[in-house]
Amino acid sequence: MKKEFRRRPKEKNTDSLDKLPPFDQLQALLQQGAITCEDIVDRCLHNIAQGAYLNAFLRVYAEEAKQQAATIDQMCQTNNLPELAGMVVGLKDLLCYKDHPVQAASKILRGFVSQFSATAVQRLVDKHAIIVGHQNCDQFGMGSSNEASAFGPVRNALDTTRVPGGSSGGSAVAVQAHMCHVSLGTDTGGSVRQPAAFCGLVGLKPTYARISRHGLIAYASSFDTIGILSRTIQTCATVLEIIAGPDDFDSTVSHRPVPVYTAQLHFDKRAKVAYFPVALEHPGLQPAIRKQTQATLDTLLRAGHQVEAVDFPLLEYALPTYYVLVNAEASANLARFDGVRYGYRSSESITVADMYQKTRTQGFGQEVQRRILTGTFVLSADYYEAWYVKAQQVRRLIKEKLEMIFATYDFIVLPTTPTTAFKIGAYTQDPLAMYLADLYTVPASIAGIPSISIPNGTDENGLPIGLQVMAPAFGEAQLLAFAQYLTLLL
Amino acid sequence: MNCLICVTYLRARSVGSTQLWWSLRCVFPDLMGYKGDGGVYTRTKLLVMKIGRPLLQKLAQLAQLEVDVHNEPILLEDLNKIVDWAEKLKELDTTGVNPLVTMASEYNIFQEDTPQAPLAHAKALANAPSRDSNYFRVPKVKE
């Protein structure tokens, strides 16, 4: 089952890639007949094959993609293109796609075939986006480096000795290496924004409940969101306005109207921007990232925006709060994997109790088991009040503090990650050091607010740096417009 | 000397030797304890073991997982490190703070109660590792 990992080529291998034309200009090209959709899909498949050593895709649906491309090429002649015609999309292995396997990159869901499509996926398919395959990730989204996958680690296409970030690492590398235009990932504590930063992409985590979670394999239900990885903010906005909004299959999804984000990408206000000195002075922050973030803040100030330092002493409590709560929710959510109804079942068991234990122990990866056990600990009778309830109280403090900041400011700007992409294997023995990679991304997840990571230069090794912008709940329209403005400004 | 300890320690970790690990812990507690301080981890303080072996086995039983002797030392160390690190939350005074139990901001969203086609038996059973006519098949429940 475990995919053998190919030895990495010594030289960087991104030159042999057939670059994809950006989706924003693609439809015009298709209609002019300058390019065909079949050609686009062929390029994607070529890049997937060329980049197999990156380990970004777990399953590729090549024939289906080619067929759909042929259909779209026929539509081009009628001059009436559906909104997403020509867009090639990859799915993180946590999103269900009808009649296709999905496995959460874990052994425990071996052989599972989805009976329905996730609402977000279905909405893309309805607009004729082409689903090209399922992408590697950390098992159940639990990890920050994409090393905790049952299918081996994913490699960063810019430097194959380094991680792409996680947990949506395969999804980020797929966009980075021109294997698809867009990836749908999931972001529970930074799993879309952090890989976007490590791979030099745009990564959006929308407001909690903006996009239906139906068909997303649950990790921590009060944190999970579907996120978008793309090259441009325009593409990200195009996808968001299609997949967001009410859904009969998710009772928690918001019924607020979905704005036409692509029509509101122009930002001409004077922005009130807050930043946290406590984040910039953190001892774990790489100096190059500090310098780059500071430079961006200075640029904003010079461009006439209001940029002010704001106290956020709760930052150091965000990570522990996050891990207590997500582990608790994970221990409950992952109870459903018992070997009875689907997925892997241990063949060694004689009794049913034995079957549960052996199936779960053999099926779940090490990090998943660690999180289930920690979650069980904080939820157990003797510790519930002191750990779980305490973390819920701190969650409220953090959420209210951020809301208070947004009463005065439009955006909060901070780095996406404390370091740029680190070496594969650097933290696999030390879970706590690994958790630190999410330091700056968890506050938005705790508060359920939207947050985007955009490229902000590179460090001394040429590795991409991410800049994170957070906005108040349901402020995606302003957030995307401001991010677009920043991209042009930087 | 330090190097020797480190090497022995890593070896104890990697082979999962409970005995070697515990004896090392007893002799060099300072070197083996981690203390998190705002994200900078130094091996300076003794790690307080909040989770011992009996509790770990109890948790494993509750979570329907098996923790064998081989994995025990690594898991004990990791879990205690995580719990010790999360202890930081206790510094904050949260008296009178209402726990945040849901992220939903909209309540009482109703929809029409219209019957829909259920998942067909064949489809529901299609993913089962073992089945028998219309049922999921499991090993015997009674001894």
Side-chain angles (χ1 to χ4, degrees), chain A residues 209-280:
Chain A
R210 180 73 286 187
I211 302 173
S212 162
R213 286 181 291 118
H214 176 64
L216 155 62
I217 298 174
Y219 159 19
S221 305
S222 77
F223 291 81
D224 288 342
T225 56
I226 289 179
I228 302 160
L229 284 142
S230 64
R231 262 175 210 284
T232 67
I233 287 156
Q234 171 93 32
T235 312
C236 179
T238 308
V239 172
L240 181 65
E241 68 195 24
I242 287 168
I243 63 178
D247 174 23
D248 285 349
F249 295 111
D250 180 356
S251 62
T252 62
V253 75
S254 172
H255 285 246
R256 286 178 186 233
V258 179
V260 184
Y261 300 111
T262 44
Q264 299 178 33
L265 283 179
H266 183 65
F267 189 84
D268 51 9
K269 271 178 42 178
R270 184 169 175 265
K272 284 186 272 182
V273 176
Y275 71 94
F276 301 147
V278 65
L280 293 176

Side-chain angles (χ1 to χ4, degrees), chain A residues 115 254 282 317 390 396, chain B residues 38 91-92 98 106 123 137:
Chain A
Q115 285 134 335
S254 172
H282 194 279
Y317 300 97
K390 179 82 185 181
R396 181 177 295 278
Chain B
E91 292 171 11
L92 281 174
N98 206 6
E106 297 161 22
K123 273 198 116 179
R137 199 179 172 133

Side-chain angles (χ1 to χ4, degrees), chain A residues 278-307:
Chain A
V278 65
L280 293 176
E281 284 151 20
H282 194 279
L285 180 62
Q286 193 177 320
I289 300 182
R290 181 180 301 127
K291 213 178 116 200
Q292 203 66 30
T293 312
Q294 197 64 61
T296 302
L297 290 169
D298 292 344
T299 312
L300 273 174
L301 198 59
R302 278 200 305 275
H305 301 282
Q306 184 184 335
V307 180

